[in-house]
Amino acid sequence: MRIEVDIRKTLRSNKREFSLDVQFTCEDDKNVVFGPSGAGKSITLRAIAGLETPDSGRIAVAGKVLFDSSLGINVPARERSVAYLFQDYALFPHLTVVDNIGFGLKQWWQRRLPPEVMRRVDELLELFELRGLGRAYPWELSGGQRQRVALARALIQHPEVLLLDEPFAALDPLLRERMREELLKTRSLFNVPMLVITHDPDDVALLAESLVVLDHGKVGQTVDLKGAPYRDEQGRVNDRTIHALLTAESPDKVPPARPPIRAVK
């Protein structure tokens, strides 16, 4: 699956101005955009999702042009077949888990989810280990459970690409390792390509095959992380080399990765 981004956007607030000018192409199933806060990661992701309109440029996903300023194309967000997972998950607090998951497939005039939608919701409740929580509200769930609900809601429509905005930032550090693994399993199960934005090198090490590094609104570098020196012949990640790439330090100075801590749900 190919994601093509070539966009420009200028944002102004009072006397401050930020200019985004990014060009990159991703062709792998696991792609990460990395950079510090203020680098332009979220604007880029929102532009792909159709939640932000660039001043100029072009965006295409899986061969479908979603935005092209020169041709006057700007496909509405609801028609892009792109799922967006917000950093805070953006669950509706007044809706139950069941209604949150099925929300996108319910017509405005329907008081309840149709039977065929309910069947799909039930399948996802089972798949995401949420059985028994269908009538719970978001405030009654743990951070990991809320993320699973948000993922289920995003994937119920079988999108062509899954966009994730700092997906682990809202989680306790003890939960992040577990949720990274769960995200990889989910991606593989649904066979959906994903594009993740993050400022955490640990996310890059585990989630990225292709890496785009942003800095001050521009692409600093793009890196293929599928082979040496970032992975060995068996495909195992070299954490030190990836951390060194992102911190501009020698791999010898990067401390060894600690064994993952088993987290509770």
Side-chain angles (χ1 to χ4, degrees), residues 200-228:
D200 188 341
D202 288 334
D203 291 342
V204 177
L206 190 62
L207 302 177
E209 294 175 331
S210 291
L211 171 67
V212 178
V213 180
L214 288 190
D215 189 24
H216 294 93
K218 296 183 181 296
V219 175
Q221 59 181 324
T222 58
V223 188
D224 184 347
L225 299 182
K226 296 189 295 299

Side-chain angles (χ1 to χ4, degrees), residues 31 49 81 87 97 102 152 177 183 194 206 251:
N31 310 284
S81 191
Q87 184 177 135
V97 167
E177 188 73 29
L183 176 60
M194 67 181 185
L206 190 62

